[in-house]
Amino acid sequence: DFHRINAAKVLLSILINGIAIAIFIIDGIIVWPAALIVMATCILGGYLGVVAAKKVPVPVVRWFVVAVGAGLSLVFFLT
């Protein structure tokens, strides 16, 4: 089931990122003004992404996600 797999992915992402954030906070290496801007825009982008994805057919969303992932992988591999 796609939704269960996605939920597991999100929970693992929260766990991993939460541990990383705790380490960065403890080490005192966070630039808080920049971090707050990133947090706000990520939250806004997450909500707007859901709204946009609900208006687009599932196959289009799936291909878009695959294309972006493949494109980013290629860019990171080449640089």
Side-chain angles (χ1 to χ4, degrees):
D1 183 25
F2 176 76
H3 295 290
R4 283 188 175 167
I5 294 171
N6 194 43
K9 177 193 74 158
V10 170
L11 289 175
L12 286 173
S13 176
I14 290 169
L15 177 66
I16 292 166
N17 287 321
I19 292 169
I21 290 167
I23 292 170
F24 291 146
I25 289 172
I26 290 168
D27 287 346
I29 57 175
I30 295 178
V31 179
W32 285 105
L36 293 174
I37 292 170
V38 170
M39 285 189 287
T41 55
C42 284
I43 291 168
L44 180 64
Y47 282 110
L48 292 178
V50 169
V51 170
K54 286 183 176 181
K55 294 182 179 185
V56 178
V58 172
V60 174
V61 173
R62 190 171 291 133
W63 278 106
F64 178 75
V65 170
V66 169
V68 169
L72 287 172
S73 295
L74 182 65
V75 168
F76 291 138
F77 179 74
L78 294 175
T79 56

